[in-house]
Amino acid sequence: MAATDAVTESSTLPETVADWIERAIIDGRFPEGARIRELEIARELEVSRAPVREALRILAGRGLVRHVPNVGAVSSGMSRQTVREVYALRALIESTMAGAAVPRLGPAEVARMEDLLDQVLALSASGEWELMFQTAWQWREILYDASGNRTALDLVRQLRARISSVPHGLRDDPEHVALNNVFYRQATTAVRNGNAGAVAGLVSAFLYQTGDQVLEYFRQRVAGTDEAAAGHRPA
């Protein structure tokens, strides 16, 4: 936002500044590891440092910014390109693990996955999104662990941690919740039937579709920020 687009002081100013910085991160202005300096942002937006500081705190909660000792606020680098790359890589690795895992699953593991499916659907129905996604990940960890490929599983965990908060905006999104529920129903049936190819295909499709939903969320966030910025332009 240039000086001509300066925001005005208001009770919503920290959120407005946070949305502006989020857009800059998504657009790649602040790549992963880039320092986000309070003073520079404050000068560019023509606001005091206090709302910028609060905005960075908000973004830390969203997972887009992290605070590094003796450095300050640093971007987590959640650009569109990062999201595309991470989800594409995860789809490749996780589908490979899934296909290898199905023949190695025992009755106890399949029973546990069926129980977790019931929990996922119940939590979804009650709107307990955070616990639902945690439970869903337990289902996938059982599957991936059965592949025996510890290196691949560790890599997936690292990739997942890197963008752990990116899908947060989808937590209560009806389309994403529906996608989640359909995937786990179909994948559990395929696991029960011992259909490794179907499970691998479902995992790959699920991750690509999730990545697309995250990118659409980003697009809407950027569009919303543009509208908010326009609304704060001085006459």
Side-chain angles (χ1 to χ4, degrees):
M1 186 182 302
T4 55
D5 297 329
V7 296
T8 56
E9 298 285 347
S10 71
S11 59
T12 62
L13 184 57
E15 281 285 353
T16 301
V17 174
D19 286 344
W20 183 90
I21 298 173
E22 179 178 4
R23 181 182 63 174
I25 293 171
I26 293 169
D27 283 343
R29 174 176 173 178
F30 298 112
E32 182 176 6
R35 186 175 178 184
I36 304 176
R37 302 175 187 274
E38 288 181 15
L39 183 57
E40 291 179 2
I41 299 296
R43 285 174 176 170
E44 183 166 354
L45 301 185
E46 297 182 358
V47 298
S48 66
R49 294 181 68 172
V52 178
R53 188 175 302 114
E54 177 62 16
L56 292 173
R57 186 193 67 77
I58 292 169
L59 291 173
R62 295 178 189 172
L64 293 170
V65 168
R66 66 182 187 277
H67 290 278
V68 178
N70 302 318
V71 175
V74 172
S75 169
S76 295
M78 296 305 146
S79 67
R80 292 182 180 89
Q81 186 62 28
T82 297
V83 170
R84 289 190 188 96
E85 292 171 354
V86 169
Y87 275 101
L89 185 56
R90 284 185 60 184
L92 176 63
I93 298 172
E94 292 182 44
S95 63
T96 300
M97 281 196 296
V102 172
R104 305 176 64 163
L105 289 167
E109 292 165 315
V110 173
R112 175 58 177 154
M113 293 169 78
E114 291 176 329
D115 179 60
L116 287 170
L117 169 65
D118 291 339
Q119 294 180 43
V120 166
L121 297 178
L123 291 167
S124 174
S126 62
E128 297 178 71
W129 315 122
E130 193 64 37
L131 187 54
M132 178 190 76
F133 284 102
Q134 291 174 11
T135 304
W137 177 246
Q138 291 178 40
W139 186 103
R140 296 205 344 250
E141 281 214 318
I142 291 174
L143 177 65
Y144 300 156
D145 188 61
S147 73
N149 193 331
R150 304 304 304 172
T151 300
L153 181 53
D154 287 344
L155 180 55
V156 166
R157 286 170 176 156
Q158 292 172 29
L159 291 169
R160 186 170 179 266
R162 183 176 181 187
I163 59 171
S164 60
S165 66
V166 171
H168 236 283
L170 302 179
R171 286 298 197 246
D172 57 354
D173 177 67
E175 289 188 10
H176 184 63
V177 172
L179 172 66
N180 185 81
N181 292 348
V182 168
F183 164 73
Y184 284 101
R185 281 196 187 99
Q186 293 180 342
T188 301
T189 298
V191 164
R192 187 186 305 118
N193 294 336
N195 192 334
V199 176
L202 287 165
V203 168
S204 179
F206 173 68
L207 287 165
Y208 272 111
Q209 288 176 283
T210 298
D212 288 344
Q213 289 182 339
V214 171
L215 290 170
E216 175 60 18
Y217 168 72
F218 272 13
R219 187 195 66 77
Q220 293 178 3
R221 289 292 297 169
V222 170
T225 304
D226 284 339
E227 293 170 4
H232 281 85
R233 286 172 185 160

